[in-house]
Structures are given as C-alpha cells and as structure tokens.
Amino acid sequence: MEFETRAIHMGQEADPTTGATITPIYQTSTFTQEGLGKHKGYDYSRSGNPTRTVLETALASLENGKHGLCFASGLAATSTVLCLLKSGDEVVTGNDLYGGTVRLFNKVFSNFGIKFTYVDGTDPKNFEKEITGKTKLIWLETPTNPLLRLSDIKAISQIAKSKNVMMAVDNTFASPYFQKPLDLGADIVVHSTTKYINGHSDVIGGAAITNSEELYKQIKFYQNAVGAVPGAFDSWLVLRGVKTLGIRMRKHEENALKIAAFLEGHKKIKRVNYPGLKSHPQHELAKKQMSGFGGMISFEVHGGKEDAKHIVESTKLFALAESLGGVESLIGHPVTMTHAEVPQEHKDKLGISDNLIRLSIGIEDVNDLIKDLDQALGVSNVRGKALEARC
Ligand SMILES: *Cc1c(COP(=O)(O)O)cnc(C)c1O
C-alpha cells in the first residue's frame, strides 16, 4: 500500500467489538479482567490503550518502521529515548536544534552525567571527529529549526554504524511524507506530532519509531516506566490529523515554494532559507534525501531587531505564534520566541540573528498569504501604521 492509503487505513480496521468504522476513543484508565491475569492485551492505559495502539501502528507504517510508540509531547518522546543512556555516556549532536531539545540536553540530562557535544551538522566528518569510546548516540535534526540546514542522514548513519553508535533523527520538520530517516540508516525516528503529523494546532504529542526489536522493547519499557504517555483523546486527534498528512504536505510545499521565491525577490530581505531554493547551499542534498522541501521558511530582513519586530507584528493572516505545521500560517521571531532558551553565544555562532524571522506556511490560498507578507514588509519603515490596521 502507498503512503496516503496507509495513513488512512494502517492499523485502522473497523473496531473489533462494535464495527465502528472510525477508531473509538477508549477513554478508560483500566480494563476489567476475565480472570486473574486473563485480559485482551490491555490492563492499564499507561502501559497500553487501544486508541494509542492504532496511532502507534499507523505512525510506524508511515516511517517504514516496524514499531511505533507514542508520547505526551515531542520532548517526552526525546526524554524517553534518552533513557537508553547511562551516566558517563556521550552524545554527539548537530548544533542547530529545536530550543527545547537544547534545554533538555543542557539543563536536564547533563545533570545525570550525560555529555552532549555539539558540532556543525552540515558536514558528516564533524560527527566522526567527536566520537569517543563513550559515545552511544548521534542525535540529528534535519532540516533544522530555524535555519533550515540539512544533515546528510545516510552519510552520518554510515559513520554511526562503523563506530557502533546509535543514531536518532528528529524528523518533525520534514514529516514522514517528505523524509524517511529509517530508510536512510537511522535507528530511531523521533517526532513532535504536535506539528505536521497532527497538523491542526490542537494537540501536543510525540512519537518514536524504530525497526529494531531490541530498541523497541527497551523504549517501550521506558515509555511505561517513565509514564509520559498521551491520553486516548489526544491519540484520536492525532490519528484524525494523520489521515490527511500527504495532501496537506503537498499544499504546504506548493505554497512555501511560491512564498520563498517572492521573498527572495524582495528588496527588504537580505537572505531566505528554504531547502527548495536553488540558492540554498544544500539544495542538492535536499533533492537527494527528501522527496519534498516542506513548509518552513526563515529569512533575514535588512536592519535589526526593531525591523523584524515590526514585520512580525504587522501581518494579519500570519498569526504571531510559537509552533508550526498547522493548516494556518504562523510567523515568529526565533531569538525572542522558540530560541529564547538557547545560550546567546550558541545563537551568535549559528547565525540565529535578531533580524531573523520564521514562517510556518499554512494551506490557505497562497495569493492571500503573499499579499499579507507584502503589506507587512511594505510598511516596515512606517512605524505604527500596520499595528493600527491590525484592529
Ligand atoms: C516542537 C518540536 C519539538 C518538541 O515537541 P513538543 O511536542 O513541543 O514537545 C521537538 N523537535 C522539533 C523539531 C520541534 O519542532
């Protein structure tokens, strides 16, 4: 079965007890046993819940994986995967990561004796250089947030394999529709299902997917032992969202390509970061390892923080908000929003500057989106005007 058929049908057979066509919300914490230890595969909803199982089966299939596990958030998924490590272990990771992941690494897991080494993830050799006898995991995020840089998943996975190191990839930005890290050699894929997979900005969730029986068993153990699981209703919402992932991703990309081209031609703009542009330094790699370029764009405006602030406060359709991957378009200022927690020197080194703006392109009519950006950019020298018009 092809991707979009699997999104709608995989794991989602009619409900075995009632024939309900759509998976029911099994809103129960516990399950009545027929006799001591005699149950139908479920005994307590932290350990397993039928609605969650359907979602786990569907997501595993979409990543071409054997096993899926769902969590209460993307960071809950990452935390649970990190439970595979022990004090003294080391992780080599790209340096351009989601701000919350950096906070989790530096301020939580570092306290348990795990060492994180950050490298420029655009060159696979940088990972090889930092691997020591204690390295247990390579952590990748590609494309990165907010600079849309890429890491070569296949090349880095070959290094990981040769050094007997596990590799996990945060595939949130591309979604499994455009990128399948397990096919490229990753051991574990992690998602914030909050973003494209759910796609409607109404739930927080996460997932981890693997082909390895052994890793599945271990992560499943930690999923239950740590307990950061999603409720039945949240699982159901994500399941409802995932059915349209393919059609949404195609529209996100179609809109993003047009908007990136519009921005690149605009005189107020210094630089546009979008893997689908020929000017992107890793455009060729994007074409090789992704089947589409996604819906995230970032750009630098001429000027400084005030100019960027003015633009993000001037759009009317693009909502000024954290998060991404929903059907509606969002605009944000990474330095003060998503990346506020990332140390300043780290931001400076990466080029996450005060004049950087991030867009999550929704699936509205692209002409309306371009008109909105045009008016926000057009008045960027006339302070106050656009704010008045915002009503
Ligand atoms: C949002 C996000 C996360 C964290 O997910 P939550 O669901 O917010 O916990 C991790 N990685 C990336 C790339 C994200 O965009």
Side-chain angles (χ1 to χ4, degrees), residues 17 31 39 75 123-124 135 168-169 182 198 206 214 255 307 335 391:
T17 52
F31 300 81
H39 57 73
L75 286 178
D123 185 352
T135 307
V169 178
L182 297 179
N198 177 59
E214 188 50 38
N255 284 356
D307 301 83
V335 167
C391 60

Side-chain angles (χ1 to χ4, degrees), residues 73-75 98 101 141 145 170 172-173 192 194-195 204-205 324:
S73 69
L75 286 178
Y98 174 72
T101 304
E141 190 181 310
N145 176 14
D170 180 338
T172 300
F173 263 41
S192 168
T194 312
K195 316 293 169 49
I204 299 283
L324 62 108

